[in-house]
Amino acid sequence: MSTATSTRAIFDIKDLNLWYGDHHALKNINFPINKKEVTAIIGPSGCGKSTFIKTLNLMINYVPNVKMTGEINYNGQNILNEKLDLVELRKNVGMVFQKGNPFPQSIYDNVAYGPRVHGTKRKPHLDEIVTKSLMDVALWDEVKDRLQAPALGLSGGQQQRLCIARALATKPDVLLMDEPTSALDPISTLKIEELILELKEKYTIVIVTHNMQQASRVSDKTAFFLMGELIELDDTSTIFSNPSDERTEGYITGRFG
């Protein structure tokens, strides 16, 4: 397994173990994540993909009876340190969930929510942030004339792009995406994939996906998880053409999973 730490790593996970009560859900994970790359996480249901991605901004802390050991180093700081500012961490490491979850507010207020929480009050500045964030997700032209309309009136694909814009509005370093297209139609899925390829110019992206074709299309690195273990991490082209572990090959060729 190729996991050599790079000076380009924005995250460097070392010997991470996680338990839900007595269930050992993540086992000795060592995993560097490079800046301004897309890292895809694949594996069968229940293998630890979503659990792992939720450790990267400690959203996992909302789950009862979770225990973690090891290190999750973000920009050189171990975020498992109890002194960490979680609000600041989640500003810098944004999360987009499986299904678009806009707040029951206007399109404008959804995008402005994060900047307001972090102290931005002046309307000209908020207008600039909202406009840029919506442009970054290719949604501006579709909604610019109805920014005060309810966000819940948007289509599923538009809602998902709005949620990405909401995450981008706080100017994060990292964007975590937990199966962001699994509830979308093929056209909306394609738009999100095109967006991911554009966003990696500015952001580090980690995407959990059940769609191996999607992983091969959008990612630079791919990690294969199985039963809570990181089996293999390598360049996506290598994982899909010449994996080093027979379990990886078995999964990507459809022999199991």
Side-chain angles (χ1 to χ4, degrees), residues 8-256:
R8 297 171 57 212
I10 192 166
F11 272 102
D12 186 18
I13 295 91
K14 295 182 177 178
D15 300 322
L16 175 65
N17 286 271
L18 181 146
W19 292 264
Y20 294 119
D22 294 331
H23 174 56
H24 197 178
L26 293 176
K27 304 169 185 174
N28 300 313
I29 306 295
N30 290 277
F31 194 153
I33 297 171
N34 288 340
K35 297 174 185 175
K36 295 185 180 176
E37 286 187 349
V38 180
T39 300
I41 301 175
I42 63 171
S45 296
C47 69
K49 303 186 300 291
S50 290
T51 293
F52 174 74
I53 201 173
K54 287 172 187 168
T55 68
L56 298 179
N57 67 351
L58 296 183
M59 292 290 285
I60 200 72
N61 286 2
Y62 291 116
V63 180
N65 301 317
V66 163
K67 177 190 171 189
M68 287 182 278
T69 61
E71 299 178 16
I72 303 174
N73 295 297
Y74 166 61
N75 283 330
Q77 180 184 13
N78 181 10
I79 66 172
L80 297 184
N81 186 324
E82 292 179 12
K83 298 172 186 172
L84 186 76
D85 182 341
L86 284 178
V87 173
E88 187 68 15
L89 174 67
R90 290 170 187 156
K91 172 179 179 287
N92 293 324
V93 184
M95 173 78 88
V96 176
F97 295 96
Q98 188 168 3
K99 191 171 184 295
N101 59 339
F103 302 140
Q105 299 172 323
S106 71
I107 294 166
Y108 182 100
D109 287 340
N110 264 268
V111 183
Y113 178 83
R116 282 176 173 149
V117 166
H118 293 284
T120 301
K121 305 297 182 190
R122 290 179 55 248
K123 190 166 188 307
H125 193 191
L126 285 170
D127 288 349
E128 183 183 329
I129 292 170
V130 169
T131 301
K132 184 178 186 309
S133 300
L134 290 170
M135 289 178 113
D136 280 350
V137 300
L139 194 55
W140 173 251
D141 287 341
E142 297 170 41
V143 303
K144 63 184 178 184
D145 297 324
R146 50 184 176 129
L147 293 177
Q148 298 308 318
L152 294 173
L154 297 173
S155 70
Q158 289 174 324
Q159 287 187 18
Q160 191 63 295
R161 281 185 285 150
L162 178 65
C163 291
I164 296 171
R166 189 174 68 198
L168 297 182
T170 61
K171 299 182 179 176
D173 294 326
V174 182
L175 199 55
L176 309 176
M177 296 180 155
D178 192 359
E179 298 198 18
T181 64
S182 63
L184 301 181
D185 62 82
I187 292 173
S188 296
T189 294
L190 179 61
K191 285 186 176 179
I192 297 290
E193 290 184 2
E194 290 172 346
L195 178 58
I196 289 168
L197 292 172
E198 291 171 16
L199 291 176
K200 78 169 187 176
E201 301 295 320
K202 301 178 186 175
Y203 306 96
T204 302
I205 298 173
V206 183
I207 177 172
V208 168
T209 180
H210 65 288
N211 183 328
M212 284 179 284
Q213 289 75 27
Q214 180 173 78
S216 68
R217 286 192 294 264
V218 305
S219 69
D220 302 289
K221 296 279 195 304
T222 295
F224 172 56
F225 275 65
L226 182 65
M227 298 178 67
E229 296 183 43
L230 173 57
I231 303 301
E232 189 165 356
L233 167 65
D234 213 325
D235 292 339
T236 294
S237 57
T238 302
I239 290 284
F240 284 95
S241 65
N242 188 28
S244 62
D245 192 293
E246 62 183 16
R247 291 169 293 181
T248 311
E249 184 177 10
Y251 180 71
I252 63 176
T253 56
R255 289 206 294 274
F256 73 93

